[in-house]
Amino acid sequence: MIEKYRHQFNANFTEEKYHQLLKKLEKGFPPIPFRVAETPIFISQELKEKLIAAGEEIISLIKQDNFKELTQNAIPSQWNVPNETAHPHFLTFDYGLCKNEKGEVTPMLIEMQGFPSLYGFQSHLAHTYKEVFNLDDNLSPYFNGLDETSYFELFKKVVVGNYAPHEVALMDVDAPNQKTAIDFFVTAKHLGIKILALEDIIKEGKQLFYEENSQKIQLKRIYNRLIFDEIAENTDIFKNSFDPREELDVEWITHPNWFYRISKYTMPFLKSEFVPETHFLNTLKTIPTDLENYVLKPLFSFAGMGVIIDLTEADVKAIKDRENWILQRKVTYEPVIQVPDDGVKAEIRMMYLWPDGEEPQLCINLGRLSRGKMIGVRYNADFDWVGGTVGLMENQ
């Protein structure tokens, strides 16, 4: 992407350095169960500007006065959590790297979430790539003039706020053993907060507590990493802890309802050169005759599950709950990342932090490289030069 860095990296790459990268990433942290790619992405200024412009268009929709009204049906009734905040604290937008009619590399929106991502790990990953591969000091994963120090200050401001760190906890069902646990531990190290599994939390009245050194400590804020879609209907997991759907004396960072409001559900409302044509299936008057150019996606699914790629008219007609599906024009990824033996496809996630009472701030990014039919671990299990990565840009 920035050719001089791409050529330098490929010329100097060794398997020994790659294994050193993995070893350094895991030092002091749990093992990483997902594949880390051999290389970062070197994002050009031109692509950076397009990614920023695409995000600004999406945010303008989210900030509309009627956005909550537009997305009210996005929240499944069984997962509606009380005391929703005025705005989410996190925004993540995933773009596939494609080529436009002029042959220029351009981003196309694939997915979006009002939910946190690997905000801790991505900084750790960028730092380690730069250290192991001796990359230029001028390269950075951050936006808006942030550096590692100011980035974690902003992150802490959003997550911890005015509370003491011990009053805030990162929470997931079985947090220490999740696939993304390394992100949890990097976050806890920088922010000073606790990592708690759901069953570590005790409910008394409307208050939540955890125990440490035989002391009971009240939780004031939950940095929520629990995705209801992953639980499905298994509400038994709440029996030995608390049910998030109850009225509780606790703040959510970010509130669970935003996971649904900012999601595939939002995409039909977006009209942009960076967004593929998208329709709610139940609003379609006629089925397109060129279904080979479309993909069918369930609104409520996790990590690409349930997506129908090689689509037929019979597939469309077989859908009963049409209001829970979108039909989206396919995005053609271009193998624009040149690795030693070929080009590989890439996706870039733009990650924003939104402090209370302020504007959303683009701060860091996440990348994924792929040779498979889709981006994702299960489609790239047998390849190298694929997996999680980060975009590095020249400081201006």
Side-chain angles (χ1 to χ4, degrees):
M1 305 283 280
I2 306 179
E3 289 193 13
K4 65 175 180 179
Y5 295 121
R6 180 79 274 149
H7 293 323
Q8 286 172 9
F9 188 92
N10 290 354
N12 295 324
F13 177 83
T14 65
E15 287 291 333
E16 182 182 0
K17 286 181 181 177
Y18 176 57
H19 290 298
Q20 186 183 351
L21 171 81
L22 300 179
K23 188 175 179 180
K24 277 186 175 289
L25 284 172
E26 293 182 341
K27 187 177 180 181
F29 296 114
I32 302 173
F34 55 87
R35 193 176 199 283
V36 174
E38 281 81 346
T39 179
I41 300 169
F42 300 106
I43 298 175
S44 67
Q45 181 63 21
E46 183 182 18
L47 177 59
K48 176 182 174 180
E49 289 172 1
K50 289 178 181 177
L51 287 162
I52 291 169
E56 287 175 349
E57 290 183 4
I58 299 168
I59 289 171
S60 67
L61 171 71
I62 295 167
K63 291 175 70 177
Q64 283 182 192
D65 291 339
N66 67 338
F67 183 74
K68 283 195 174 184
E69 182 184 342
L70 281 176
T71 57
Q72 194 54 44
N73 291 334
I75 306 167
S77 57
Q78 70 272 28
W79 293 118
N80 201 332
V81 174
N83 303 317
E84 185 179 315
T85 51
H87 63 73
H89 295 90
F90 306 90
L91 296 170
T92 64
F93 307 146
D94 290 358
Y95 302 94
L97 296 190
C98 310
K99 283 194 176 175
N100 61 20
E101 63 280 359
K102 297 177 184 176
E104 302 165 337
V105 177
T106 194
M108 288 296 287
L109 186 67
I110 303 298
E111 182 68 275
M112 54 197 296
Q113 287 184 339
F115 191 79
S117 184
L118 307 186
Y119 283 82
F121 179 69
Q122 289 307 111
S123 175
H124 177 51
L125 179 59
H127 179 92
T128 309
Y129 270 127
K130 290 184 66 176
E131 181 182 11
V132 170
F133 290 100
N134 195 29
L135 301 180
D136 197 310
D137 283 342
N138 193 41
L139 290 170
S140 171
Y142 306 106
F143 298 86
N144 290 316
L146 293 171
D147 58 20
E148 187 172 330
T149 299
S150 57
Y151 168 69
F152 277 108
E153 287 172 353
L154 177 61
F155 190 19
K156 188 169 186 176
K157 179 181 182 180
V158 170
V159 174
V160 180
N162 295 321
Y163 294 101
H166 70 268
E167 296 176 315
V168 183
L170 184 156
M171 185 272 290
D172 203 340
V173 177
D174 184 15
N177 297 307
Q178 291 287 346
K179 285 187 177 179
T180 53
I182 188 168
D183 175 68
F184 299 173
F185 283 90
V186 173
T187 299
K189 176 183 175 182
H190 282 276
L191 306 193
I193 63 176
K194 299 296 296 180
I195 301 171
L196 297 178
L198 185 63
E199 290 195 356
D200 294 331
I201 300 173
I202 308 152
K203 178 175 174 284
E204 293 185 5
K206 291 186 176 183
Q207 296 181 330
L208 301 179
F209 300 86
Y210 68 94
E211 290 187 354
E212 186 172 67
N213 300 324
S214 302
Q215 283 191 313
K216 195 165 63 174
I217 300 169
Q218 185 181 352
L219 270 180
K220 304 290 182 65
R221 269 189 170 186
I222 292 176
Y223 175 31
N224 180 44
R225 303 300 294 266
L226 189 157
I227 298 175
F228 291 155
D229 276 12
E230 291 183 300
I231 301 167
E233 302 302 318
N234 182 24
T235 54
D236 285 349
I237 64 169
F238 301 138
K239 284 183 178 177
N240 298 321
S241 183
F242 73 100
D243 191 325
R245 297 165 295 182
E246 297 176 2
E247 286 277 353
L248 298 165
D249 184 16
V250 71
E251 293 180 13
W252 293 96
I253 306 295
T254 193
H255 192 282
N257 289 1
W258 287 106
F259 174 82
Y260 293 105
R261 288 192 184 279
I262 300 171
S263 64
K264 291 188 286 287
Y265 191 95
T266 320
M267 293 185 69
F269 301 111
L270 290 163
K271 309 300 176 192
S272 166
E273 66 175 295
F274 305 115
V275 180
E277 173 196 343
T278 308
H279 305 274
F280 292 112
L281 194 55
N282 65 331
T283 65
L284 273 184
K285 292 182 172 60
T286 57
I287 298 173
T289 55
D290 60 335
L291 282 176
E292 68 276 10
N293 294 319
Y294 289 84
V295 60
L296 196 58
K297 296 181 177 181
L299 288 173
F300 308 113
S301 69
F302 182 69
M305 300 298 288
V307 174
I308 304 174
I309 302 172
D310 299 315
L311 192 56
T312 67
E313 188 172 337
D315 292 323
V316 178
K317 289 181 175 178
I319 302 298
K320 303 300 182 191
D321 56 336
R322 296 168 72 85
E323 71 281 2
N324 292 327
W325 292 75
I326 56 170
L327 186 71
Q328 186 175 83
R329 183 165 283 277
K330 281 182 180 175
V331 169
T332 303
Y333 290 73
E334 284 287 331
V336 295
I337 310 299
Q338 190 62 46
V339 300
D341 65 338
D342 203 357
V344 298
K345 295 176 284 188
E347 208 168 83
I348 295 178
R349 173 174 295 171
M350 302 290 270
M351 297 161 60
Y352 300 72
L353 290 167
W354 196 339
D356 287 326
E358 299 183 23
E359 292 295 307
Q361 295 186 47
L362 176 59
C363 53
I364 199 166
N365 71 88
L366 178 153
R368 288 185 289 186
L369 302 183
S370 172
R371 299 181 194 248
K373 194 168 188 176
M374 287 178 68
I375 300 277
V377 175
R378 66 177 62 87
Y379 304 102
N380 288 275
D382 300 322
F383 300 119
D384 58 4
W385 292 81
V386 298
T389 185
V390 65
L392 299 177
M393 300 157 287
E394 289 183 313
N395 286 318
Q396 297 302 302

